[in-house]
Amino acid sequence: MILNETLLPSRLSHRSQMWDATGMWAWILHRITGLGLVFYILLHTILMSVSLLSGKESFDATLAVLMGNPVFEFLDTLLVGAVLYHGFNGIRILLFDMGIGISVESQKKLFGIFMGVAAILWVWSIALKFSG
Amino acid sequence: MHAWTWFLQRISAVILFIALGLHIGFLHFSHVGEPLNYADIMVRLKTPVLIIFDILLLIFGLYHALYGLYSVFLDFDSGKKERIVVLGLLVAMGLSFFGFGVFGLLYVIR
C-alpha cells in the first residue's frame, strides 16, 4: 500500500527511499533540463543576433553549419526532448501547485500520462526532422 | 517579494509552453526539408505581430531562465548579502540580453 510505503518507517534507509521515488528523478531531470535550457537560450540569443547583424552571407553560413552538421542535428533532437520534458513536467508541477492531483497515486499517474504525451511528441518531431 | 516573483515564474511557464511550441513549430517544423534562410527570416522578422511575439518571447524566456537560475541558487545556503549580489547580477544579465536581443532585432529590420 502506498500509504505504508511513504508514511511509515520501513527497512529502507531514508536515502534509498528518496532515490527510489519517481518525484525525485522527475525533479532532478527538471533541474538538469532547466540548466541546459538556460545555457541554450543565452547562447541562442547571442548567436542568432550576431549572425543576423553580420549580414546575409554570415547568417546563411551559420545556419548551414547548425542545420547540416550531424552533431548539431543530434543536439537539436536533445534540445527538443529537453524542452518537451521541462514543459510537460512543468505543467504537472503547476497542476500540483494548484492542488490538482496531489495524492501520491495521482501524482504518479499524471507523471506517466504527461511523459507519454511528451515522448510521443518527441518521437514525432524526430521522425518529421529526418523525413524531410 | 518572493511570492509575486514565484507567481510570475508560473505565468511565464504557461506563456512559454504555448509560445515556444509556436516558435519551434513554425520555424523548424512547418516547412521541413526547406532550409531556413536570411531572406525568409527577414520577412518573418518584419511582420509586426511577430515583432511583438519575438520580444515577448525574449522577455518571458529570459525571466523564466534567470529566475530559474536564482531558484537553484536559493536551494543552497546563502547570506542576505550574497542573495542581493546574485540577484543584481542576474537582473543585469537579463537587462543586457534583453537590450542586445531587441537592438539586434530592430537594427536588422530597420
Side-chain angles (χ1 to χ4, degrees), chain A residues 34-51:
Chain A
L35 289 171
L37 291 171
V38 171
F39 176 71
Y40 177 78
I41 192 186
L42 298 178
L43 198 70
H44 184 67
T45 310
I46 295 179
L47 190 61
M48 286 299 111
S49 298
V50 169
S51 59

PDB file of all heavy atoms in Angstrom, chain A residues 34-51:
ATOM      1  N   GLY A  34      16.449  22.187 -17.152  1.00  0.00           N
ATOM      2  CA  GLY A  34      16.330  23.628 -16.927  1.00  0.00           C
ATOM      3  C   GLY A  34      17.662  24.336 -17.108  1.00  0.00           C
ATOM      4  O   GLY A  34      17.758  25.326 -17.830  1.00  0.00           O
ATOM      5  N   LEU A  35      18.712  23.805 -16.468  1.00  0.00           N
ATOM      6  CA  LEU A  35      20.037  24.424 -16.586  1.00  0.00           C
ATOM      7  C   LEU A  35      20.530  24.374 -18.034  1.00  0.00           C
ATOM      8  O   LEU A  35      21.103  25.341 -18.535  1.00  0.00           O
ATOM      9  CB  LEU A  35      21.033  23.732 -15.646  1.00  0.00           C
ATOM     10  CG  LEU A  35      20.822  24.018 -14.148  1.00  0.00           C
ATOM     11  CD1 LEU A  35      21.702  23.114 -13.294  1.00  0.00           C
ATOM     12  CD2 LEU A  35      21.098  25.482 -13.833  1.00  0.00           C
ATOM     13  N   GLY A  36      20.271  23.257 -18.695  1.00  0.00           N
ATOM     14  CA  GLY A  36      20.652  23.137 -20.107  1.00  0.00           C
ATOM     15  C   GLY A  36      19.948  24.180 -20.958  1.00  0.00           C
ATOM     16  O   GLY A  36      20.562  24.814 -21.823  1.00  0.00           O
ATOM     17  N   LEU A  37      18.659  24.385 -20.692  1.00  0.00           N
ATOM     18  CA  LEU A  37      17.880  25.336 -21.485  1.00  0.00           C
ATOM     19  C   LEU A  37      18.286  26.786 -21.208  1.00  0.00           C
ATOM     20  O   LEU A  37      18.257  27.617 -22.114  1.00  0.00           O
ATOM     21  CB  LEU A  37      16.377  25.144 -21.236  1.00  0.00           C
ATOM     22  CG  LEU A  37      15.799  23.823 -21.791  1.00  0.00           C
ATOM     23  CD1 LEU A  37      14.367  23.619 -21.317  1.00  0.00           C
ATOM     24  CD2 LEU A  37      15.859  23.803 -23.313  1.00  0.00           C
ATOM     25  N   VAL A  38      18.681  27.084 -19.962  1.00  0.00           N
ATOM     26  CA  VAL A  38      19.186  28.434 -19.647  1.00  0.00           C
ATOM     27  C   VAL A  38      20.436  28.699 -20.488  1.00  0.00           C
ATOM     28  O   VAL A  38      20.547  29.727 -21.163  1.00  0.00           O
ATOM     29  CB  VAL A  38      19.559  28.575 -18.151  1.00  0.00           C
ATOM     30  CG1 VAL A  38      20.270  29.900 -17.897  1.00  0.00           C
ATOM     31  CG2 VAL A  38      18.319  28.491 -17.279  1.00  0.00           C
ATOM     32  N   PHE A  39      21.359  27.731 -20.460  1.00  0.00           N
ATOM     33  CA  PHE A  39      22.577  27.844 -21.246  1.00  0.00           C
ATOM     34  C   PHE A  39      22.226  28.032 -22.729  1.00  0.00           C
ATOM     35  O   PHE A  39      22.771  28.899 -23.413  1.00  0.00           O
ATOM     36  CB  PHE A  39      23.413  26.573 -21.042  1.00  0.00           C
ATOM     37  CG  PHE A  39      24.662  26.523 -21.871  1.00  0.00           C
ATOM     38  CD1 PHE A  39      25.727  27.366 -21.583  1.00  0.00           C
ATOM     39  CD2 PHE A  39      24.774  25.629 -22.923  1.00  0.00           C
ATOM     40  CE1 PHE A  39      26.885  27.320 -22.350  1.00  0.00           C
ATOM     41  CE2 PHE A  39      25.926  25.579 -23.694  1.00  0.00           C
ATOM     42  CZ  PHE A  39      26.983  26.431 -23.405  1.00  0.00           C
ATOM     43  N   TYR A  40      21.250  27.241 -23.207  1.00  0.00           N
ATOM     44  CA  TYR A  40      20.887  27.308 -24.613  1.00  0.00           C
ATOM     45  C   TYR A  40      20.267  28.646 -24.997  1.00  0.00           C
ATOM     46  O   TYR A  40      20.623  29.233 -26.016  1.00  0.00           O
ATOM     47  CB  TYR A  40      19.931  26.164 -24.996  1.00  0.00           C
ATOM     48  CG  TYR A  40      19.500  26.275 -26.443  1.00  0.00           C
ATOM     49  CD1 TYR A  40      20.349  25.866 -27.466  1.00  0.00           C
ATOM     50  CD2 TYR A  40      18.285  26.866 -26.787  1.00  0.00           C
ATOM     51  CE1 TYR A  40      19.997  26.030 -28.793  1.00  0.00           C
ATOM     52  CE2 TYR A  40      17.925  27.034 -28.109  1.00  0.00           C
ATOM     53  CZ  TYR A  40      18.776  26.618 -29.107  1.00  0.00           C
ATOM     54  OH  TYR A  40      18.434  26.793 -30.415  1.00  0.00           O
ATOM     55  N   ILE A  41      19.329  29.152 -24.187  1.00  0.00           N
ATOM     56  CA  ILE A  41      18.630  30.386 -24.581  1.00  0.00           C
ATOM     57  C   ILE A  41      19.604  31.563 -24.648  1.00  0.00           C
ATOM     58  O   ILE A  41      19.507  32.410 -25.539  1.00  0.00           O
ATOM     59  CB  ILE A  41      17.414  30.716 -23.668  1.00  0.00           C
ATOM     60  CG1 ILE A  41      16.559  31.813 -24.300  1.00  0.00           C
ATOM     61  CG2 ILE A  41      17.824  31.113 -22.279  1.00  0.00           C
ATOM     62  CD1 ILE A  41      15.423  32.317 -23.441  1.00  0.00           C
ATOM     63  N   LEU A  42      20.601  31.588 -23.748  1.00  0.00           N
ATOM     64  CA  LEU A  42      21.577  32.671 -23.765  1.00  0.00           C
ATOM     65  C   LEU A  42      22.466  32.568 -25.011  1.00  0.00           C
ATOM     66  O   LEU A  42      22.691  33.537 -25.733  1.00  0.00           O
ATOM     67  CB  LEU A  42      22.427  32.645 -22.478  1.00  0.00           C
ATOM     68  CG  LEU A  42      21.627  32.860 -21.175  1.00  0.00           C
ATOM     69  CD1 LEU A  42      22.535  32.775 -19.963  1.00  0.00           C
ATOM     70  CD2 LEU A  42      20.893  34.193 -21.183  1.00  0.00           C
ATOM     71  N   LEU A  43      22.916  31.344 -25.282  1.00  0.00           N
ATOM     72  CA  LEU A  43      23.757  31.102 -26.471  1.00  0.00           C
ATOM     73  C   LEU A  43      22.975  31.408 -27.756  1.00  0.00           C
ATOM     74  O   LEU A  43      23.483  32.049 -28.681  1.00  0.00           O
ATOM     75  CB  LEU A  43      24.168  29.629 -26.467  1.00  0.00           C
ATOM     76  CG  LEU A  43      25.354  29.234 -27.322  1.00  0.00           C
ATOM     77  CD1 LEU A  43      26.626  29.811 -26.712  1.00  0.00           C
ATOM     78  CD2 LEU A  43      25.466  27.713 -27.402  1.00  0.00           C
ATOM     79  N   HIS A  44      21.726  30.967 -27.795  1.00  0.00           N
ATOM     80  CA  HIS A  44      20.839  31.130 -28.947  1.00  0.00           C
ATOM     81  C   HIS A  44      20.597  32.619 -29.240  1.00  0.00           C
ATOM     82  O   HIS A  44      20.667  33.045 -30.399  1.00  0.00           O
ATOM     83  CB  HIS A  44      19.521  30.415 -28.616  1.00  0.00           C
ATOM     84  CG  HIS A  44      18.514  30.400 -29.717  1.00  0.00           C
ATOM     85  ND1 HIS A  44      18.699  29.719 -30.894  1.00  0.00           N
ATOM     86  CD2 HIS A  44      17.281  30.962 -29.793  1.00  0.00           C
ATOM     87  CE1 HIS A  44      17.614  29.879 -31.656  1.00  0.00           C
ATOM     88  NE2 HIS A  44      16.738  30.624 -31.012  1.00  0.00           N
ATOM     89  N   THR A  45      20.358  33.401 -28.163  1.00  0.00           N
ATOM     90  CA  THR A  45      20.116  34.841 -28.335  1.00  0.00           C
ATOM     91  C   THR A  45      21.354  35.512 -28.931  1.00  0.00           C
ATOM     92  O   THR A  45      21.253  36.281 -29.889  1.00  0.00           O
ATOM     93  CB  THR A  45      19.787  35.505 -26.977  1.00  0.00           C
ATOM     94  OG1 THR A  45      18.782  34.744 -26.334  1.00  0.00           O
ATOM     95  CG2 THR A  45      19.295  36.932 -27.155  1.00  0.00           C
ATOM     96  N   ILE A  46      22.521  35.201 -28.377  1.00  0.00           N
ATOM     97  CA  ILE A  46      23.759  35.820 -28.868  1.00  0.00           C
ATOM     98  C   ILE A  46      24.058  35.394 -30.299  1.00  0.00           C
ATOM     99  O   ILE A  46      24.275  36.220 -31.189  1.00  0.00           O
ATOM    100  CB  ILE A  46      24.964  35.436 -27.963  1.00  0.00           C
ATOM    101  CG1 ILE A  46      24.782  36.021 -26.571  1.00  0.00           C
ATOM    102  CG2 ILE A  46      26.269  35.940 -28.565  1.00  0.00           C
ATOM    103  CD1 ILE A  46      25.895  35.672 -25.617  1.00  0.00           C
ATOM    104  N   LEU A  47      24.004  34.069 -30.529  1.00  0.00           N
ATOM    105  CA  LEU A  47      24.392  33.546 -31.839  1.00  0.00           C
ATOM    106  C   LEU A  47      23.475  34.063 -32.943  1.00  0.00           C
ATOM    107  O   LEU A  47      23.935  34.502 -34.006  1.00  0.00           O
ATOM    108  CB  LEU A  47      24.375  32.009 -31.802  1.00  0.00           C
ATOM    109  CG  LEU A  47      24.986  31.328 -33.015  1.00  0.00           C
ATOM    110  CD1 LEU A  47      26.459  31.706 -33.140  1.00  0.00           C
ATOM    111  CD2 LEU A  47      24.851  29.821 -32.907  1.00  0.00           C
ATOM    112  N   MET A  48      22.152  34.032 -32.706  1.00  0.00           N
ATOM    113  CA  MET A  48      21.223  34.476 -33.737  1.00  0.00           C
ATOM    114  C   MET A  48      21.365  35.971 -33.996  1.00  0.00           C
ATOM    115  O   MET A  48      21.374  36.416 -35.138  1.00  0.00           O
ATOM    116  CB  MET A  48      19.777  34.143 -33.336  1.00  0.00           C
ATOM    117  CG  MET A  48      19.432  32.666 -33.447  1.00  0.00           C
ATOM    118  SD  MET A  48      19.578  32.010 -35.129  1.00  0.00           S
ATOM    119  CE  MET A  48      20.982  30.931 -34.984  1.00  0.00           C
ATOM    120  N   SER A  49      21.499  36.767 -32.921  1.00  0.00           N
ATOM    121  CA  SER A  49      21.637  38.213 -33.094  1.00  0.00           C
ATOM    122  C   SER A  49      22.915  38.560 -33.841  1.00  0.00           C
ATOM    123  O   SER A  49      22.887  39.310 -34.813  1.00  0.00           O
ATOM    124  CB  SER A  49      21.639  38.935 -31.742  1.00  0.00           C
ATOM    125  OG  SER A  49      20.417  38.721 -31.089  1.00  0.00           O
ATOM    126  N   VAL A  50      24.033  37.984 -33.385  1.00  0.00           N
ATOM    127  CA  VAL A  50      25.322  38.323 -34.002  1.00  0.00           C
ATOM    128  C   VAL A  50      25.342  37.921 -35.476  1.00  0.00           C
ATOM    129  O   VAL A  50      25.753  38.693 -36.340  1.00  0.00           O
ATOM    130  CB  VAL A  50      26.497  37.662 -33.243  1.00  0.00           C
ATOM    131  CG1 VAL A  50      27.789  37.781 -34.030  1.00  0.00           C
ATOM    132  CG2 VAL A  50      26.662  38.306 -31.879  1.00  0.00           C
ATOM    133  N   SER A  51      24.837  36.707 -35.772  1.00  0.00           N
ATOM    134  CA  SER A  51      24.913  36.271 -37.169  1.00  0.00           C
ATOM    135  C   SER A  51      23.927  37.049 -38.052  1.00  0.00           C
ATOM    136  O   SER A  51      24.211  37.311 -39.213  1.00  0.00           O
ATOM    137  CB  SER A  51      24.705  34.761 -37.292  1.00  0.00           C
ATOM    138  OG  SER A  51      23.460  34.398 -36.784  1.00  0.00           O
TER     139      SER A  51
END
